[in-house]
Amino acid sequence: MTTKSKTQSRSSANGGLTAFRGGGGWISSERTATTYDLVEQMYYLYVRVVKARDLPPNPVNGNCDPYVEVKLGNYKGKTQRFEKKTNPEWNQVFAFSKEKIHSSVLEVFVRDREMVGRDDYLGKVVFDMNEVPTRVPPDSPLAPQWYRLEDRRGESKLRGEVMLAVWMGTQADEAFPDSWHSDAASVHGEGVFSVRSKVYVSPKLWYLRVNVIEAQDIESEDKSQLPQVFVKAQVGNQILKTRLCPNRTTNPFWNEDLVFVAAEPFEEQLVLTVENKVAPTKDELVGRISLPLHIFEKRLDHRPGHSRWFNLERFGFGVLEGDRRTERKFSTRIHLRACLEGGYHVLDESTMYISDQRPTARQLWKQPIGILEVGILSAQGLIPMKSKDGRGSTDAYCVAKYGQKWVRTRTIVESVSPKWNEQYTWEVYDPCTVITLGVFDNCHLGSNEKPDSRIGKVRIRLSTLETDRIYTHSYPLLVLQPSGLKKTGELQLAFRFTCLSLAHMVYLYSRPLLPKMHYLHPFTVGQLDSLRYQAMNIVASRLGRAEPPLRKEVVEYMLDVDSHMWSMRRSKANFFRIVSLFSGFVSMSKWISEVCQWKNPITTILVHILFCILICYPELILPTAFLYMFLIGLWNFRFRPRHPPHMDTKLSWAEAVHPDELDEEFDTFPTSKPQDIVRMRYDRLRSVAGRIQTVVGDMATQGERLQSLLSWRDPRATSVFIVFCLCAAVALYITPFKIVTLLVGLFSLRHPRFRSKMPSAPSSFFRRLPARADSML
């Protein structure tokens, strides 16, 4: 890290924001060379153990089961052990943190594993720490060399050689992610793989649209009546059905769309079954067919594809190949139009904090408009998440998700203040997207494996970041638990959003958020919810098959799998968001009321003067309004946020939430609570719904009164209103519009001594109009 970058990072940590960073904006060679300039450089001693040759066999059994032990002070790392090999190959890297090096000598031992007794000593190689070279990327990797093995005292050479490379580097070294770390020296076995940093890519998701048109030659076992059938389609765990054909016929017609989510590579098949409804609780299988997904065309626009006929395999036929007695002359067939939709973006996260909006088909992608660089620095004050050897412990790692790219930092073992200092880069295709970062406790390092625990989550909206500026800020990690809101620590991050094309980025603000197919052929709200849930399951399943796996509980937490579930807390939070939204209009109405009531005579007189000017010069109304908004925007520039916002506990209504409401929010679906608790919550929900019902009814009443003005439901009221409309039309035709507007405005601004506390005549007339509430049961 350069001196300038260090100064920027320190000043950012103190003030939350640094000064502007110079530079053109494109990824220049300088920018590429100065990677990891958002984080503090951490130095490591790297030891690459490549292979060995000509190792001596054991004189007793004639075999050699070699492994290598790398020792630096109190830290020891071991390679895997090979059986009966005198020329083993390991190609394994060990990384020792420079901060924890308290030895001037690095020792590399080669040993022969023995089942009984101590392992045999085959030789060693010793390195002086002062002679170790330093490598800085983008330099080429250090070439490994052959070293002769020495005896214990280092006085003579022994049989055998080992190929090693030793150098000093930083976390920017390409060997860093897959190396064994001295920070995790206590982790053994399969747990070693789960502590490494990794980059994952979400599977490429497609919407599979199956248009079930019709079927022909349907036959039922019961010849006395015609069949009444439906089609059931299945892709993996997704099952959808068409509606039941309304008529009993051998040639049913549906023309119905069934939409699934599929992921490349296509491992599942589309399984279609035609079933006959013989009874309310009994379905008869007529035929089935399995189709691989790769046979369907990939559609990029709204033009319909070609339809095809498929012959169904008749149920029960073909079990005995020699039995042809039940063979029929005609087979049932089904007419389909199926395609893989490439013009949609498959939603696996909520559109409120979406991180990617590109369509599935790569041919429809635009050029990126920016580069997002994220430095995951450290965490402070993490609470112990589990107990180990009678004391609290936390094995923390961080996961970041933006677009299709997921990153996972290495796990810092047994530390409540882990320092990762890892930097990652994403291409940005739309500024109105969100990056999500979550911190988790690794629970897969020992034998008692359980789901990784949530420590907290942070979301950053890219549109809130200024371009070419480095942000370094600590974000609180908050977790909502059944016991209440808990702060589990703080996460320190560094961001830089570099704009590649300012004109293109500004142009995107005028474009739709999602690809055009979402608007030309939109899905229903129910379809979107179901498809999003299926997409999340597929992403979690595929990432769980990686090594090390990104586990299901981590993916679901990052994608907010339960955000659509009912929550009294969220309902209150959304209600008060609406109240806050209309608070400005309420304040404006109060100010107008005070002006009309002459609470401040000077203000009222000025409003009279402004009103008269606008009446005389109506062409100034719109310029005045836009100039006012321009000045308000300039004034608010002084109070703009200095760093991206984080999770707001007051906005989320998480500080004053009732424990029973939290218990309800964390309940399973369907519920697992006792009957009396479910009844109590149901009654509470009924009371809330009753108040909402009253408000909706009042709104409907006002609308129906408005309709009844001309509906002659109240003949006297309608007669009065139409006569008034005739008189008003004649008066407004004769009187200039400016005069009318001036008189109405002066009447509304009249002095309180000319006002009455009784309701006005128009208000009383409107309240007397009939509504349809009296016709409801």
Side-chain angles (χ1 to χ4, degrees), residues 46-63:
Y46 290 97
V47 181
R48 181 186 297 276
V49 181
V50 183
K51 55 186 175 181
R53 66 185 179 187
D54 197 25
L55 297 179
N58 191 303
V60 178
N61 53 24
N63 296 326

Side-chain angles (χ1 to χ4, degrees), residues 277-302:
K277 196 77 173 179
V278 296
T281 58
K282 182 181 179 182
D283 299 328
E284 172 189 283
L285 187 60
V286 176
R288 70 185 300 274
I289 187 173
S290 296
L291 301 173
L293 301 187
H294 64 80
I295 69 171
F296 302 127
E297 64 176 327
K298 296 179 179 180
R299 189 171 71 164
L300 304 182
D301 51 26
H302 62 281

Side-chain angles (χ1 to χ4, degrees), residues 663-664 666-668 670-678 681:
D663 185 62
E664 179 184 19
F666 284 92
D667 191 11
T668 58
T671 181
S672 58
K673 298 298 179 181
Q675 186 176 1
D676 54 344
I677 295 179
V678 175
R681 291 175 178 171

